[in-house]
Amino acid sequence: MANNATKMGMEQEEFEAAFPYHLLLDNQLQIISIGHVLARTDETSVAGKNLHDCFEIIRPDGIKTYEDFCANSRTLFIVRQRKTDLTLRGQFLARANSNQILFLGSPWVTSSDDLARYNLTLSDFALHDPIIDLLSLAQAKNAAQQDIVRLVDRLKEKTQLLQETNAVLQTNNSDLTKARDEAQAATQAKSEFLARMSHEIRTPMHGMLSMIDIMGQKVLDAESKNYLDVMKESSVSLLSIINDILDLSKIEAGKIEIDIAPFDIDHLLLEVKQLYWAGAQKKGLELRIASPPEAKTFTGDAGRIRQILTNLVSNGLKFTERGYIEIRATYLTDGDPRLHFAVTDTGPGIPEDKQHLLFQNFSQIDGADNRKHGGTGLGLSISKTLTQLMGGRISVESQLGKGATFHVEIPTKCLDHHPQLAQEMAANEVCPLPSKRILVVDDHPINRRIIEFILKKQKVDFVLAESGEQAIDILKEQPIALVFMDIQMPGMDGIETTQKIRAGNSPPEKLPIVAMTANALKGDRERFLAAGMQDYISKPFKEDDLMNLIRKWSAT
Amino acid sequence: MYGLVNKAVEGLVCDKFGQETWEKIRAKAGIVEEHFISNESYPDDITYRLVGAAHEVTGLPVPAILSAFGEYWVLETAQKGYGHLLKAGGNNVGEFLRNLPNFHARIILMYPKLQPPKFKVSDATEKSLILHYISDRPGLADFVVGLVTGLGKLFATPVQVEHIAKKAEGADHDEFRVSWS
């Protein structure tokens, strides 16, 4: 062995330290020398013993003789120490000049337990031998694998938790959906109830107001007239509140309809002025209107615009004690053409921090306002919604003590340069009264009394029917030029009656039918037209509106 | 430091004080990780924050925590993770400590992103030696005391550890006289 070490330029001790598992064999495979660690693991593996007695050659197969080893010097050998089962890996190097073979290798340990089993320590391995480092690396990888297993377990736990949470959420979601549907159904029911109740209230209100008007035309003493004025004022106020509630319920039910038609701006402003002129006079306020000088005829829903303006003027009147209320309309053509209405009052003004509350439902700046000035607190909210439905916008500008100005902008088209449309409008305005009889169908006796009074006063020939069946009988017996048809009637309603009239071959050009309803909702107009009607009038109606419709349809 | 170290801190706290205390410490330290990955490198700051929070929550002094952690590292983490490989580091405390520089060289091979401290041994006799601990990380000398004490327990040999040179007091590095009977 000293020979080997010397030839490699190493001291014996250094060779032993570098190759603690070596074997040097002669050509009879007798052990000449053995590494000190290998000798320690099995004290019977000693010099002089035959290799095959102490070790088993696992790989390659069939290695028996010195020549076999020499022929496989570039083959990986797996050798097992018979007594200890310690497995070594390495190679047999043939030393041709000396008829010797040298095994250089090291133990194959795959776990740290192997070290304990063979009683090996780190010092038993040469520092150049990477087997311990590979073992450490394997241990580190094991730790990583344990991490993965642990994390996968946690992931499974979390996934299960997530699934359970999802199930709870789905249940909650289902409950929420159910609650939302129930809330929507309740809102819908509330809106429908409000609409129905409003209708029920408006019908007798219509009767009261009409009778008050009729009484007002009689000769009365000053005291009675005073009482009558109070009655009318109270009735108008009540009707206004009912209208607000009806509008709100229509808005909530999505049943508001915008009717775009030509209208005259001067006429519209005048109507609003006439409505509030007396009230302004009474408070010593000036009520001014100003319209655009360059244009007069526009498209838009005049009824809804009037409603917005009356809301704003009515508010101004409530809060202004001295000064004036002004409605100034201007036609703006920068950008999309639109009508701008500025409603200004010289009232107390609105604090800046309260202005955002103005357009909310049931909002009044101060609870005391409600008690002092009355009203539902719905007017501005409804005005805002109506403005938005018309594609416009509404805003307020105010300073405390300096009054307020509400700005409303509504998209429009100016028709002053459209002679055909203007002519059509003009034609509608001057129609003669009918020479033939008209038929009024209404189940409600008060409504019949009202219309009877108006028609008698206007000297229009008419006949009344209490039901659809009676109306059909009258039509069979008498020549009729125009029919006013109530919609909601017990038994055969207005729609069915109209369908029967049309089925009996009464074409629209021969017999126009106008619907009368106290509660026209979105879609009703289409329903009336589909049933064979030509127009409709909302109850309670004004005498002028009724007469205009009679003129319009008598002319056809 | 590698996640293995932080996992060991977690293991020590859970073993001695329970899971609830660990969650408090983790929350106090502002650690978002629910689990540390052994072979992943984490900023040293996390370990320092954990030790600081452990001091606040348990009321134990920081040196006592570090020393306990050193023992835990040898007797639990390394023992469970590396078993006989750890014991194969030597047949007794002295041999193990003399092999410690090689042991740490091997750790670099396993954890290439690790910046392990350096250990040197001098003045070795049959019953004592001077252990030199050279590290850029401040304040961990008590951890070394715990490590060596733990090694004594591993080899069933009571050891005395004397901190004879302190970097915190101006020495070039920390030195410990380790003796056993």
Side-chain angles (χ1 to χ4, degrees):
Chain A
M1 188 61 236
N3 203 19
N4 283 324
T6 309
K7 281 190 176 178
M8 293 172 76
M10 297 169 78
E11 296 297 327
Q12 175 64 22
E13 224 174 85
E14 287 173 339
F15 187 85
E16 279 292 333
F19 304 106
Y21 300 92
H22 80 271
L23 286 165
L24 184 65
L25 308 169
D26 65 15
N27 58 4
Q28 297 303 308
L29 304 181
Q30 299 285 324
I31 298 172
I32 299 170
S33 72
I34 183 166
H36 71 283
V37 178
L38 198 53
R40 193 188 73 213
T41 56
D42 174 17
E43 65 281 4
T44 62
S45 301
V46 293
K49 282 271 185 92
N50 185 278
L51 173 74
H52 291 298
D53 291 340
C54 302
F55 295 92
E56 180 188 0
I57 308 300
I58 307 293
R59 287 288 185 280
D61 280 337
I63 302 293
K64 305 276 186 204
T65 64
Y66 170 77
E67 288 73 22
D68 292 338
F69 283 103
C70 290
N72 284 282
S73 61
R74 296 188 64 78
T75 304
L76 175 68
F77 274 76
I78 300 175
V79 177
R80 187 162 59 217
Q81 194 171 35
R82 288 186 187 277
K83 191 173 177 186
T84 62
D85 270 354
L86 175 67
T87 301
L88 302 154
R89 63 172 303 285
Q91 65 184 124
F92 283 87
L93 300 169
R95 307 181 72 238
N97 294 342
S98 56
N99 284 335
Q100 291 175 342
I101 50 174
L102 176 64
F103 173 74
L104 294 178
S106 60
W108 180 245
V109 284
T110 55
S111 78
S112 60
D113 291 346
D114 289 346
L115 295 174
R117 188 188 311 156
Y118 302 118
N119 196 26
L120 298 173
T121 69
L122 300 193
S123 310
D124 294 331
F125 292 83
L127 289 176
H128 68 77
D129 186 347
I131 194 74
I132 290 298
D133 302 310
L134 291 174
L135 191 57
S136 303
L137 200 58
Q139 291 290 113
K141 297 293 176 198
N142 282 347
Q145 200 172 357
Q146 283 167 10
D147 276 349
I148 291 168
V149 170
R150 191 169 52 91
L151 289 174
V152 167
D153 284 347
R154 288 306 304 251
L155 199 61
K156 280 181 190 165
E157 282 170 24
K158 296 267 180 190
T159 305
Q160 191 175 345
L161 194 65
L162 202 62
Q163 281 169 346
E164 287 167 7
T165 310
N166 263 346
V168 172
L169 281 175
Q170 273 173 0
T171 308
N172 289 349
N173 206 22
S174 167
D175 290 348
L176 283 174
T177 305
K178 196 176 161 200
R180 185 203 61 195
D181 290 347
E182 284 171 0
Q184 280 176 346
T187 302
Q188 178 77 13
K190 182 203 73 181
S191 297
E192 284 170 10
F193 172 76
L194 279 175
R196 200 163 53 245
M197 288 310 294
S198 299
H199 170 263
E200 295 299 325
I201 297 167
R202 275 158 65 103
T203 302
M205 282 298 300
H206 175 50
M208 280 171 61
L209 274 168
S210 301
M211 287 303 136
I212 289 168
D213 278 344
I214 291 166
M215 280 180 72
Q217 290 170 21
K218 305 280 181 193
V219 180
L220 296 170
D221 59 59
E223 192 177 359
S224 299
K225 191 159 175 44
N226 213 11
Y227 292 157
L228 207 61
D229 285 347
V230 173
M231 277 174 69
K232 181 165 185 179
E233 203 175 299
S234 302
S235 302
V236 167
S237 170
L238 181 57
L239 190 61
S240 160
I241 291 168
I242 292 164
N243 283 340
D244 276 358
I245 293 171
L246 179 61
D247 276 337
L248 180 72
S249 64
K250 280 182 184 176
I251 286 167
E252 287 186 347
K255 288 180 175 173
I256 281 274
E257 191 176 69
I258 300 300
D259 260 337
I260 304 294
F263 69 93
D264 184 274
I265 187 74
D266 283 345
H267 182 69
L268 176 70
L269 295 179
L270 214 53
E271 273 185 323
V272 179
K273 183 174 179 178
Q274 279 172 350
L275 202 58
Y276 290 101
W277 182 81
Q281 284 285 102
K282 205 170 167 184
K283 286 184 83 173
L285 300 171
E286 197 182 342
L287 182 56
R288 305 172 186 165
I289 55 172
S291 64
E294 73 282 10
K296 298 296 176 192
T297 313
F298 297 92
T299 59
D301 189 330
R304 294 301 179 189
I305 296 173
R306 187 191 303 115
Q307 188 177 352
I308 294 166
L309 294 178
T310 53
N311 267 330
L312 298 177
V313 172
S314 157
N315 270 353
L317 267 179
K318 272 186 208 168
F319 294 101
T320 306
E321 298 304 332
R322 64 181 67 86
Y324 62 89
I325 317 283
E326 180 187 81
I327 315 171
R328 179 172 291 278
T330 43
Y331 178 49
L332 304 177
T333 52
D334 56 314
D336 292 333
R338 58 211 187 278
L339 270 171
H340 171 252
F341 298 93
V343 180
T344 303
D345 65 57
T346 52
I350 305 152
E352 203 171 333
D353 62 332
K354 298 281 175 61
Q355 289 177 12
H356 68 284
L357 297 170
L358 280 175
F359 298 104
Q360 294 175 8
N361 281 348
F362 308 105
S363 165
Q364 288 183 327
I365 297 306
D366 182 345
D369 289 342
N370 196 13
R371 294 184 292 276
K372 184 177 172 189
H373 300 293
T376 57
L378 292 171
L380 286 176
S381 162
I382 291 169
S383 297
K384 183 183 177 186
T385 307
L386 292 176
T387 306
Q388 286 171 341
L389 283 171
M390 288 188 282
R393 58 186 179 183
I394 187 167
S395 60
V396 66
E397 195 182 346
S398 178
Q399 275 185 301
L400 263 185
K402 292 186 178 176
T405 300
F406 285 84
H407 298 277
V408 179
E409 281 188 20
I410 308 285
T412 187
K413 278 182 191 162
C414 178
L415 297 179
D416 283 347
H417 304 297
H418 293 75
Q420 192 185 339
L421 277 169
Q423 276 170 12
E424 280 174 15
M425 285 187 64
N428 282 342
E429 281 171 6
V430 284
C431 285
L433 283 172
S435 53
K436 283 188 204 163
R437 181 171 287 182
I438 69 168
L439 168 63
V440 178
V441 190
D442 199 314
D443 66 304
H444 205 290
I446 293 175
N447 288 345
R448 289 200 304 276
R449 286 273 315 273
I450 294 162
I451 209 160
E452 183 181 8
F453 174 80
I454 295 170
L455 295 178
K456 270 184 183 167
K457 196 176 97 179
Q458 295 287 346
K459 300 189 181 357
V460 175
D461 185 14
F462 67 95
V463 58
L464 297 171
E466 295 177 15
S467 65
E469 290 86 350
Q470 194 184 359
I472 290 170
D473 288 345
I474 291 171
L475 282 168
K476 282 177 188 164
E477 295 163 1
Q478 302 180 30
I480 299 293
L482 173 63
V483 178
F484 282 93
M485 180 74 71
D486 186 22
I487 296 298
Q488 289 182 1
M489 291 188 291
M492 197 189 297
D493 67 11
I495 299 276
E496 193 183 346
T497 307
T498 303
Q499 285 166 339
K500 286 225 160 116
I501 293 169
R502 293 297 179 224
N505 201 18
S506 290
E509 63 273 18
K510 292 277 168 86
L511 181 62
I513 301 175
V514 176
M516 292 190 299
T517 175
N519 182 19
L521 297 175
K522 190 176 180 180
D524 280 353
R525 182 190 172 88
E526 286 71 25
R527 209 155 56 86
F528 302 154
L529 296 180
M533 298 179 177
Q534 279 64 58
D535 210 338
Y536 78 90
I537 184 168
S538 184
K539 292 189 286 190
F541 45 74
K542 290 181 190 160
E543 188 175 321
D544 282 353
D545 291 339
L546 180 71
M547 294 316 297
N548 282 340
L549 266 177
I550 292 173
R551 285 191 185 92
K552 176 180 171 184
W553 289 107
S554 299
T556 55
Chain B
M1 292 200 209
Y2 270 72
L4 198 62
V5 177
N6 298 326
K7 270 175 73 176
V9 177
E10 177 183 352
L12 170 68
V13 171
C14 289
D15 280 6
K16 304 267 183 200
F17 301 99
Q19 182 73 28
E20 204 177 318
T21 304
W22 166 249
E23 292 303 337
K24 277 185 201 165
I25 290 170
R26 196 167 68 87
K28 193 166 240 342
I31 308 296
V32 291
E33 283 88 351
E34 279 189 47
H35 305 285
F36 294 108
I37 311 293
S38 304
N39 294 349
E40 191 67 36
S41 180
Y42 293 87
D44 285 359
D45 177 52
I46 288 184
T47 314
Y48 281 105
R49 269 158 43 204
L50 283 174
V51 172
H55 159 65
E56 285 185 52
V57 172
T58 65
L60 290 173
V62 171
I65 292 171
L66 287 173
S67 179
F69 178 48
E71 280 194 44
Y72 186 86
W73 177 263
V74 171
L75 297 172
E76 295 293 329
T77 307
Q79 176 82 331
K80 280 181 185 162
Y82 297 93
H84 293 294
L85 194 61
L86 182 74
K87 266 201 159 177
N91 286 315
N92 52 57
V93 174
E95 196 177 323
F96 190 97
L97 289 174
R98 283 194 294 277
N99 280 334
L100 202 54
N102 282 345
F103 202 85
H104 265 78
R106 290 197 153 100
I107 286 172
I108 292 177
L109 293 176
M110 279 191 285
Y111 300 109
K113 290 181 196 162
L114 188 68
Q115 293 170 311
K118 289 175 196 159
F119 285 101
K120 282 183 185 171
V121 172
S122 69
D123 306 287
T125 69
E126 204 178 329
K127 296 290 179 189
S128 71
L129 52 75
I130 305 290
L131 184 66
H132 301 258
Y133 167 67
I134 303 147
S135 173
D136 293 333
R137 296 188 177 99
L140 297 181
D142 289 301
F143 176 60
V144 179
V145 174
L147 282 177
V148 177
T149 309
L151 279 173
K153 288 181 180 173
L154 183 70
F155 289 102
T157 307
V159 293
Q160 289 78 49
V161 186
E162 192 184 348
H163 198 172
I164 55 174
K166 298 181 179 178
K167 190 178 178 184
E169 292 177 2
D172 178 60
H173 60 270
D174 290 289
E175 290 178 24
F176 304 88
R177 176 178 291 112
V178 184
S179 51
W180 56 93
S181 49

